Structures are given as structure tokens and as C-alpha cells.
Amino acid sequence: MNIPFNKPFMTGKELWYISQAHANGHLAGDGVFTKKCSTWLEQHIGCKKALLTHSCTAALEIAAILINVKPGDEIIMPSYTFVSTANAFVLRGGVPVFVDIRPDTLNIDEALIEAAITPKTKAIVVVHYAGVSCEMDTIMAIAEKHNLLVIEDAAQGIMSTYKGRPLGSIGHLAALSFHETKNIISGEGGALLVNDSTFVEQAEIIREKGTNRSRFFRGQVDKYTWVDLGSSYLPSELIAAFLWAQMEDADIITKRRLSIWDTYHQNFELLEQQGRIRRPIIPVDCIHNAHMYYLLLPNLDRRTAFITALKKILIWAVFHYIPLHSSPMGEKYGRKSGELHETQLLSDKLVRLPLWLGLEEYQNEVIQHIIAEL
Ligand SMILES: *Cc1c(COP(=O)(O)O)cnc(C)c1O
């Protein structure tokens, strides 16, 4: 038995759709498969516009250009997140302002956001950790009161909802990831979701190297030219063809992941009652997508011992983010709002367990080993 932490799931139709894209002879971006995927996202998420990108990182970079981040503008975000959440804004001269997380969901603590707002604050970037929603009603109300924009880093959040609303449909803008470690994949891949329609046209322009090429192809202008900042953010049709196979099976993929997640959750209930671990907490308003199953161990030493013991029997459990505020770049370009006690504590205790389609076959054995090491 060798149980990797992640194993990309293939639906079986990916190569078939790639061969169709090949036969179509349209390999660059924005062909029929890109259209299918973006329409699927618009219908399933209910955003005004979905634009496929080559990564979630790229989508966040478009968002930073779109909201016109200027040097010194402050962007409120959790420290417990992936580097791209911050990097995209720092590239435009923005200053990440790190706020602590909630101990239950490990999402940004909405109660601490207002204290982080200054006259320089431009936006709040929320991260739906493990595909479990942030407290969006409160966050949107704070943003409205202070005239701020909200960007959802929904990299892990596809197929999850908050009060019945799909993640990615709530903030002014949102970013999804289709990286092979996520639920719905294309190797590398992502999407920018636009909910505030005033951003739609400019988002298309930024994604197309700063040109009005999309308008030209729709016949809305008679020549296309350089009209804004931008870069090449769109994926090839080959990638979109792969992604389409995954989107078609998104319901099945989510259902199977949830079943694996639930099996872990039930089997660790007793350990939690005994105080040996803490399991994930899903607020009542949230339906999650089983992006991740994690445990919180008592401390860093116990976690290290646990990961090492499992590694010896070839079960690959892993820790997650080094908080950005304590990274070299976070120290250089960002600042903390208050003390980030929960971020520090929880990041030391968290361990992620293998979760991929096909694990079902080995899961009971894996669980027995895990229980033996806790
Ligand atoms: C995976 C991830 C990203 C980056 O996604 P890419 O598609 O690899 O660029 C950004 N933010 C969060 C929270 C992520 O989990």
C-alpha cells in the first residue's frame, strides 16, 4: 500500500475531447470548449461573466488590475492562505494587511476586519478554506459600509454554497482554480468570475493582452487595438477540452469526495470526544465540496511525529500553509492587523489527509493506521 496525498482523477473523456479540439483545428484560446466551460460556470455559479484563465493566480492578477490597485493601496486578507492571494496584489504595489482567522473554519475572522480598515483600504480578499464559505453576509455588509470591493479566492470552493448561493457568486469578483490538486481539474487552470457587471468589458480586455479583441470578434468594433494594461491570461483549447470532461462530471466527483470526507469524519468522532484531535467544523449555512479533510492535532511536535509515522508506512499526510505574515515576502510587503494568534496556533496543528477518488478501496485500512498513530 502506497497512499499518495493527492491523485488527479480522470473522468475518461478528457482525451476524447482533446482529440475533438485537435480535429477542430482551433488550438488557441476561446474556441468551442472554452465557451462550453465558461457557460457552464455562468449557469452553475450564477456569475455575470466567467472567463477561463491559465490559473487561479492569473485570475487574481486580473482582479488586481481590474480594481486598479495603486502603490500603497491596502488589501485585507487572511495570512493563512496560498501565496497567490497576496502576490497578485503586491505585483501592483498593493500592501497585504493580514487579519487573523476563525478557529472553527480557519477562514478570515469577519469580526476583525473593520479594525483593519484604513483610508488606504481598497478591497477585502476572502479565502474559502477547504471549500467552506467565509461569513459572506457580514463581510459584504462591511464592504458596502466602507465602500470596499470583495474578491473571493474560491480556488478551493467550486460546488460549495453559502446560504444556498454558490461560492464565487457573492463578491464583486472571484477566482477559481483547476490545478490538479483541486476538485475539478485541468492540470493548470482557473477562472475569473465577474459579478459586478461594470467590470465585465475591462476584464475581457485585460485577459486578452490589453486589447479589445473580444469586442472585435463580436463585431462591436471594426478593428482591435491596445486599450488597457493586460497580459495573456487565457488557456489553450486543449486545456479547456480537458476541463470540459471534468465539468460534465462535477456532480459525481463532488458526491464521491463527500462520501470519502464523511467516512473520515464518522471514524474520527470518537477520537475527538476523547480530546485527541479536533475535526473540521462546517457552519450550518455552508454546504461544502469536500475539497479537503484535515485534523487538528494538539501541537506542532505531535503533528510532526504523526506525519513522520504515516510516511514510514507510505501514507502521505501533509501540513499546509506557512502563514504569509511570517514569510520573507509577507514581512517585506505586508503588515499584520493585530496579533495573529489563531493563525499561528492552527497552522502548526493542521494536517491534511489523503483525499482522492479511488481512495475508497483503501480508506478503512488508512483510517485504522491513522487511529493507531493518534
Ligand atoms: C490553489 C490555490 C491558489 C492557486 O491556484 P493556481 O490555479 O495554482 O494558481 C490560490 N489560492 C488558493 C486559496 C488556493 O488553494
Side-chain angles (χ1 to χ4, degrees), residues 12-300:
K13 281 209 182 154
E14 287 83 356
L15 289 178
W16 164 238
Y17 288 142
I18 287 173
S19 73
Q20 284 184 17
H22 176 266
N24 290 343
H26 177 133
L27 302 180
D30 286 338
V32 290
F33 284 103
T34 302
K35 183 79 196 145
K36 278 177 191 287
C37 293
S38 40
T39 303
W40 187 96
L41 289 169
E42 284 159 12
Q43 285 170 353
H44 281 72
I45 296 180
C47 52
K48 292 252 165 56
K49 187 86 189 172
L51 295 170
L52 287 199
T53 57
H54 52 70
S55 63
C56 177
T57 302
L60 290 166
E61 287 182 20
I62 298 175
I65 299 172
L66 207 43
I67 69 165
N68 196 20
V69 173
K70 296 262 178 41
D73 284 351
E74 296 178 352
I75 316 292
I76 292 171
M77 64 180 69
S79 167
Y80 194 63
T81 182
F82 188 61
V83 294
S84 296
T85 316
N87 230 338
F89 298 91
V90 172
L91 277 168
R92 318 255 22 111
V95 178
V97 174
F98 300 118
V99 169
D100 209 0
I101 50 175
R102 288 165 47 145
D104 57 351
T105 55
L106 282 70
N107 284 331
I108 191 166
D109 188 339
E110 67 280 0
L112 302 176
I113 290 176
E114 275 197 297
I117 296 174
T118 75
K120 288 184 174 169
T121 308
K122 181 117 201 180
I124 305 167
V125 183
V126 300
V127 179
H128 304 299
Y129 188 69
V132 179
S133 181
C134 298
E135 186 40 55
M136 292 308 292
D137 277 353
T138 309
I139 292 166
M140 295 309 290
I142 293 169
E144 196 173 340
K145 181 173 155 199
H146 296 272
N147 200 18
L148 304 174
L149 292 161
V150 174
I151 299 164
E152 298 176 72
D153 180 340
Q156 306 173 14
I158 196 165
M159 307 294 281
S160 295
T161 61
Y162 168 78
K163 298 189 179 175
R165 291 142 75 198
L167 300 192
S169 72
I170 305 167
H172 301 87
L173 299 165
L176 301 177
S177 175
F178 306 118
H179 187 265
E180 74 166 35
T181 52
K182 303 302 199 292
N183 289 20
I184 306 297
I185 62 174
S186 56
E188 303 281 353
L192 177 76
L193 309 179
V194 183
N195 296 312
D196 179 337
S197 48
T198 60
F199 287 123
V200 170
E201 193 177 312
Q202 200 195 349
E204 287 182 334
I205 290 169
I206 294 166
R207 174 174 170 271
E208 273 278 21
K209 301 99 179 165
T211 72
N212 53 356
R213 190 165 185 267
S214 298
R215 283 176 67 77
F216 174 70
F217 279 114
R218 286 197 297 263
Q220 293 163 325
V221 287
D222 56 12
K223 57 180 182 295
Y224 85 83
T225 184
W226 185 18
V227 294
D228 203 337
L229 285 180
S231 187
S232 185
Y233 288 118
L234 62 170
S236 137
E237 270 288 283
L238 300 177
I239 297 288
F242 189 109
L243 183 60
W244 177 241
Q246 296 266 319
M247 284 183 174
E248 279 192 327
D249 277 1
D251 285 321
I252 301 168
I253 292 170
T254 308
K255 227 185 199 158
R256 283 183 64 187
R257 292 187 73 96
L258 279 165
S259 149
I260 297 168
W261 196 99
D262 288 337
T263 302
Y264 273 141
H265 207 58
Q266 284 156 22
N267 278 277
F268 299 137
E269 187 178 359
L270 190 61
L271 290 177
E272 187 176 65
Q273 284 166 7
Q274 294 166 340
R276 289 151 76 189
I277 50 125
R278 204 208 82 191
R279 298 180 300 164
I281 295 169
I282 313 292
V284 284
D285 290 330
C286 302
I287 295 177
H288 72 104
N289 60 0
H291 173 61
M292 185 193 304
Y293 198 86
Y294 64 80
L295 295 173
L296 294 170
L297 271 57
N299 55 47
L300 179 60

Side-chain angles (χ1 to χ4, degrees), residues 296-308 319-323 344-351:
L296 294 170
L297 271 57
N299 55 47
L300 179 60
D301 288 346
R302 295 281 286 279
R303 183 184 73 181
T304 306
F306 176 74
I307 291 175
T308 309
F319 57 85
H320 212 181
Y321 307 126
I322 309 293
Q344 205 59 60
L345 272 173
L346 293 160
S347 62
D348 281 350
K349 295 176 174 184
L350 184 136
V351 57

